[in-house]
Amino acid sequence: MKSADIDALVSFDQQHLWHPYASMHNPPPAYPVVAAEGARLRLADGRELIDGMSSWWSAIHGYNHPVLNQAASAQLATMSHVMFGGITHPPAVALGRKLLEICPPGLSRIFYSDSGSVAVEVAIKMAFQYWLGQGQHQRSKLLTVRNGYHGDTFGAMSVCDPVNGMHHLFQPIMQQHLFAEAPGCAFDEAFTEDHVADVKRLLLQHNDVIAALIIEPIVQGAGGMRFYSPAYLQRLRQLCDEYGILLIADEIATGFGRSGKLFACEHAAISPDILCLGKAITGGYLSFAATLCTDNVAEKVCSGEAGALMHGPTFMANPLACAVAGASIDLLLSQNWHANVQRIEALLKQHLAPAREFATVADVRVLGAIGVLEMKQPVDMVSIQRRFVDNGIWVRPFGKLVYIMPPYVISDTELVTLAANLVKVVATP
Ligand SMILES: *Cc1c(COP(=O)(O)O)cnc(C)c1O
């Protein structure tokens, strides 16, 4: 683009377009991206950046993928959308079949929606209606752990970490739920019963009002980028069974291979009663999500006074999104995705390791295709992002967390450059 055109674009953006968690008084810079391909973003001025974010976990196959493009255009030529009330269509059914084949066992009913947050809202409604169906109206509390992130809508926000998301701002108009200590047992650490002491305390104290426990399996995403022990998750599953409450697994970030398993629940060999999927479900092409549940949950939900699950978005089961999601899953399963995620994990471990020596770095951790540098102090986002861009990489830190989860198609050379340049930028304050 010509530089005058770039200026006009950026200037309109700054004056009129809101960005995530951004001010309009004093808008932070937004880099104009005009194209993307594979693991690269192209800026309007012609520079290329190696993408470390997969557009927030979603673009697992990289950008502009011929297979996903083909699936989208074929569906576009047929029917891009039709309502799901009283109608069904082949892409919805084909995607449903695939999801039931690959998701943790026991899940059999699927609710399609438009975004991760909505998938969480639907999960919360399912859990609440499950108890309504059994005449237990008092079971309206969710139990969760600190450092979680479940989305930005009110129900989802009410189970996000109450401190680090600034969600306390909304306290007066938000449901109050129960927060146990964050999982204190890191991925490779030995689990002991002490690690669930706080969860057990809350279960005992509030047993009669809890509907469900909601948690991100193994990887806590935007609420702290921490990886916890599979044995901890196993124990939570047992505790939910002991107390007869539902387990909601939010795999919106972890689903589709990111943690080294197709779904993070597999690390612990458990199945939730309700599962939320989003982000990578369409390979980053369209906003789409799904909430799955067991026969038992569906049966109780539908035996209540309402006789139905009380939710139904306009764009439910959007055919275009379903078609691309189906193609994205086929594409993933058609490759040795597991070895590929292991390749990324090994390179991240090797090339992020030097940052351990920095006085400013508190921790370096890697799981699957996720690499995290936890800093001792929050970074200055605007200046560090400019330096990332100047070094040809796209990384979007958050607070003390500088993290990457690149598209699985990233080459060894691109990945080594991404990690090395990230470490180089972080090395100089
Ligand atoms: C991103 C995310 C959500 C919210 O998804 P949106 O599509 O942004 O609404 C919910 N849960 C987890 C774990 C997430 O990472």
Side-chain angles (χ1 to χ4, degrees), residues 336-411:
N336 193 347
W337 65 267
H338 186 247
N340 189 31
V341 170
Q342 283 181 323
R343 166 188 74 96
I344 296 172
E345 179 172 31
L347 285 171
L348 286 175
K349 281 188 172 154
Q350 184 188 347
H351 294 275
L352 294 178
R356 276 184 211 285
E357 309 305 319
F358 304 163
T360 49
V361 171
D363 189 28
V364 177
R365 41 186 188 263
V366 173
L367 181 71
I370 313 167
V372 184
L373 305 193
E374 183 170 334
M375 311 299 291
K376 290 182 181 156
Q377 300 296 327
V379 297
D380 179 316
M381 173 123 78
V382 171
S383 72
I384 201 168
Q385 197 168 266
R386 186 183 316 116
R387 291 191 296 131
F388 286 138
V389 169
D390 290 344
N391 281 275
I393 62 176
W394 180 246
V395 182
R396 174 88 174 161
F398 166 68
K400 294 178 184 169
L401 302 166
V402 181
Y403 59 99
I404 48 178
M405 53 282 193
Y408 303 165
V409 296
I410 194 166
S411 70

Side-chain angles (χ1 to χ4, degrees), residues 23-47:
S23 166
M24 289 248 63
H25 276 165
N26 183 17
Y31 294 86
V33 169
V34 292
E37 173 133 10
R40 287 164 187 264
L41 308 178
R42 190 157 84 241
L43 295 177
D45 63 11
R47 285 184 293 171

Side-chain angles (χ1 to χ4, degrees), residues 57 115-118 120 149-152 216 221-222 250-253 279 287:
W57 312 84
S115 75
S117 298
V118 174
V120 171
Y149 180 77
H150 297 284
D152 283 345
E216 297 154 276
D250 178 350
E251 293 239 19
I252 291 166
K279 290 201 163 100
S287 181

Side-chain angles (χ1 to χ4, degrees), residues 144-149 159-164 178-183 198 215-216 220 223 226 232:
T144 188
V145 294
R146 291 183 185 269
N147 290 345
Y149 180 77
V159 284
C160 288
D161 186 279
V163 180
N164 66 19
L178 301 165
F179 291 88
E181 280 165 15
D198 204 36
I215 192 162
E216 297 154 276
Q220 292 193 291
R226 291 171 177 277
Y232 176 92

